[in-house]
Amino acid sequence: MKFKIATLGCRNNQYESAEVRACFEKEGLLPVPFDSRADICVINSCSVTEKSNYRCRQLIRKTVDSNPESFVVVVGCYPQLDPDAVKSVPGVNLILGNDEKLDIIKYLKDLNVFESIDKKRSEPLIVVGNSDDETSFRSEEVNHFAGKTKAFLKVQTGCNYKCSFCVITLARGKSRSSDPETAVRQFKNLLKNGFKEIALTGIHLGSYGSELSSPTNLHELLKELIKVKGNFRIRLSSLGPKDISDKLIDLIAESPKICNHLHISMQSGSDKILRLMKRNYRMENVYELANKITSRIPDIGIGADLIAGFPGEGDKEFEETLSMVRELPFSYLHVFNFSRRKKTDAYDLPDQIPSKIRKERVFLLKDLARKKSLHFKEKFLGEKLDILVEQNRDPQSKMLKGYTGNYLPVCLEGPDDLINQITPIQLSHIKNDVLFGVI
């Protein structure tokens, strides 16, 4: 039998799709691309915003329409938060929450799918547990990421914070971590399978290890991972400002195996809005942190998440965010239009911002982000840096492409032999905001 998996959303989801793939392959099923015919179609969903939900529904409908004979499974955050919304889309056969993802084979066997696919079932089977229940960290050994040169390693999931805009704590439950021994073993396995860059991921990566019977932290895990022999690099996924300790900054500065790149979950540049968001830091902390990072690691790439149009964000508060972006050394930004989600505190906050104003603010932040990104690229023209060449060439130019350690995207001419190699290049020029390099 053949199966295919579509993944929406975060790096954790990408890792969990690879885990689901591993479960299928243990049963002898054959993976195929998502535009191919398959007996079983799996959609690993995202529900971080209302737009994410809309995209999920679109993909489910398209999958059902184009695969009339296939067994369709929807898993992950969208079913976890709203199983009835998924059920309302005709043609779905099985709906699983986040904790049930890795039991997908069991449920398929219960429905006798491996013997014959019964499309006559009028109602899908729904198995969605309570995200508030105490569950342990689970993981499957992963060897392959479809179409990826870089690997992800999930070492943490869940979150103990209750930010007023966020549904992810409802979807993922409390913070749980992989024990360090398992994380190191899985890390070595990914290196053995040829990956040269591994990104550590988590829903709240900065809380790694705090709830283990022998508590630890991200800094201690990284110290163990950089002891592993080999030519590789480690990238960290998103961290909150309070998660980035002096010890962590020093370790990144001192170890050539850890990418000089941090992505910070910032959300706003206004203390008033941060309070309304129930974030655990203020702008004083952010400016102090930025100074520490750049003084220890001058060439570091720093990205950030920002939400535009949060309730109560007047012109003054938005200008404070713009000022922060102008002043701090960001190399790129991920900008989100505030999404009003039921079951969050922000849903009932007064002073909701009209859609038109939110879109205007998103545009202004993205325009400023583009200028910041271009300025950061210009700083490194003529410099010699290493890039990891990715598997897929740039679709327009057909050139090789890859990222430097500080997360600069680079295009270059070269043979396929360079794919999946960490390659020294010189950054030569910029054209239409695209950075080019030569070997």
Side-chain angles (χ1 to χ4, degrees), residues 218-407:
L218 182 60
H219 170 256
E220 292 301 317
L221 176 62
L222 284 167
K223 280 170 60 179
E224 293 305 309
L225 295 178
I226 62 176
K227 291 177 186 175
V228 177
K229 293 181 180 177
N231 181 27
F232 63 84
R233 63 191 194 185
I234 301 167
R235 197 175 293 278
L236 300 176
S237 59
S238 179
L239 294 168
K242 288 280 191 176
D243 301 329
I244 304 170
S245 65
D246 292 354
K247 284 185 176 181
L248 182 60
I249 294 169
D250 287 342
L251 191 63
I252 296 170
E254 292 160 6
S255 174
K257 288 186 173 179
I258 305 174
C259 291
N260 51 343
H261 166 223
L262 285 167
H263 185 92
I264 305 175
S265 178
M266 203 83 72
Q267 310 308 351
S268 176
S270 163
D271 280 344
K272 173 191 166 183
I273 300 303
L274 291 174
R275 279 193 294 272
L276 289 171
M277 288 177 166
K278 298 187 177 178
R279 303 293 283 175
N280 68 342
Y281 52 87
R282 297 294 177 261
M283 289 313 302
E284 180 184 6
N285 308 124
V286 172
Y287 281 98
E288 182 183 352
L289 175 65
N291 285 331
K292 282 181 181 178
I293 293 170
T294 52
S295 63
R296 285 291 282 120
I297 318 166
D299 60 349
I300 192 167
I302 302 176
D305 295 321
L306 289 174
I307 295 174
F310 190 83
E313 184 188 70
D315 292 342
K316 175 178 177 291
E317 289 76 27
F318 181 62
E319 182 55 43
E320 287 172 345
T321 295
L322 286 175
S323 295
M324 174 198 69
V325 174
R326 292 187 194 105
E327 291 171 31
L328 294 183
F330 295 119
S331 53
Y332 68 94
L333 295 175
H334 291 165
V335 181
F336 300 90
N337 189 331
F338 169 69
S339 183
R340 192 180 183 192
R341 305 305 306 279
K342 291 179 180 177
K343 301 180 183 177
T344 66
D345 292 344
Y347 187 84
D348 295 316
L349 284 175
D351 302 320
Q352 298 283 332
I353 308 300
S355 174
K356 184 182 178 208
I357 294 176
R358 283 189 275 119
K359 287 178 181 176
E360 287 171 354
R361 290 176 179 173
V362 167
F363 175 82
L364 289 170
L365 281 169
K366 285 186 174 180
D367 185 58
L368 183 53
R370 186 190 66 77
K371 292 171 183 172
K372 298 283 288 191
S373 175
L374 181 60
H375 176 69
F376 188 72
K377 291 170 185 172
E378 289 171 342
K379 277 175 55 179
F380 292 92
L381 287 176
E383 296 287 322
K384 294 178 181 178
L385 299 174
D386 289 345
I387 71 164
L388 175 61
V389 179
E390 296 186 347
Q391 181 173 320
N392 299 315
R393 287 177 175 264
D394 179 70
Q396 274 79 42
S397 66
K398 307 303 179 187
M399 297 176 78
L400 294 174
K401 59 188 178 73
Y403 281 85
T404 63
N406 60 352
Y407 210 59

Side-chain angles (χ1 to χ4, degrees), residues 401-429:
K401 59 188 178 73
Y403 281 85
T404 63
N406 60 352
Y407 210 59
L408 283 167
V410 183
C411 287
L412 72 154
E413 298 283 2
D416 285 350
D417 293 356
L418 294 177
I419 289 172
N420 198 35
Q421 300 301 319
I422 296 175
T423 303
I425 62 162
Q426 185 172 39
L427 301 176
S428 58
H429 66 286

Side-chain angles (χ1 to χ4, degrees), residues 102-118:
L102 296 187
D103 294 321
I104 188 169
I105 298 298
K106 171 190 178 304
Y107 296 113
L108 291 172
K109 286 182 176 179
D110 289 347
L111 294 169
N112 297 314
V113 174
F114 298 133
E115 280 71 48
S116 77
I117 294 174
D118 179 12

Side-chain angles (χ1 to χ4, degrees), residues 188-205:
K188 288 179 177 177
N189 181 60
L190 289 169
L191 294 177
K192 198 181 298 181
N193 279 277
F195 291 104
K196 299 289 197 307
E197 178 176 310
I198 299 171
L200 301 188
T201 74
I203 298 301
H204 181 201
L205 182 62

